[in-house]
Amino acid sequence: MKGKYLLIMFITNEQYRDLINRMPLTHDAILDERTHIFVILQNGSDEYQMLFHDIVLSPNKEDWKRYNEKHQLPSFISANKTYWVLAPADTPNEHSQIMTEEELINFELKSKKVFTSDPLALSKVYVTYSSRVF
């Protein structure tokens, strides 16, 4: 994939607050190449934990080849939908997958429910996005 890179960082509580105060991810989000999506859990008043930090990339030939093999398709590109590759920001060459924009947003928003069965605790999980990390 063009533009993949390794991102390893230590995040301070102040930086976590900056991340959770960015644009919340919604179905109206405008995604583009290198959009970062953050899923952050607030453990306490000043304690945070990054659950997911993903990056949105444009699919290349290799991505489409894997997608077509996985779905047993000879060739598949739709002009009706926007497709992206969703990849972990720290290891973008691993576990990446092609999704439609709608699938990608639904996948990230559902991640909130993965970590809590308590509806009150959902308010302590933030899903935000940005074109930059800091």
Side-chain angles (χ1 to χ4, degrees), residues 29-59:
I30 298 173
L31 303 177
D32 55 21
E33 172 96 21
R34 297 190 187 265
T35 297
H36 293 264
I37 300 175
F38 309 96
V39 180
I40 299 168
L41 172 66
Q42 185 175 7
N43 290 328
S45 61
D46 204 27
E47 293 179 32
Y48 302 90
Q49 178 183 357
M50 181 79 72
L51 301 177
F52 297 108
H53 176 191
D54 296 323
I55 189 165
V56 177
L57 301 167
S58 296

Side-chain angles (χ1 to χ4, degrees), residues 25-33 35 84 101 105 129-131:
L25 185 68
T26 67
H27 286 91
D28 295 328
I30 298 173
L31 303 177
D32 55 21
E33 172 96 21
T35 297
W84 296 107
E101 193 162 295
I105 290 172
Y129 74 105
S130 177
S131 60

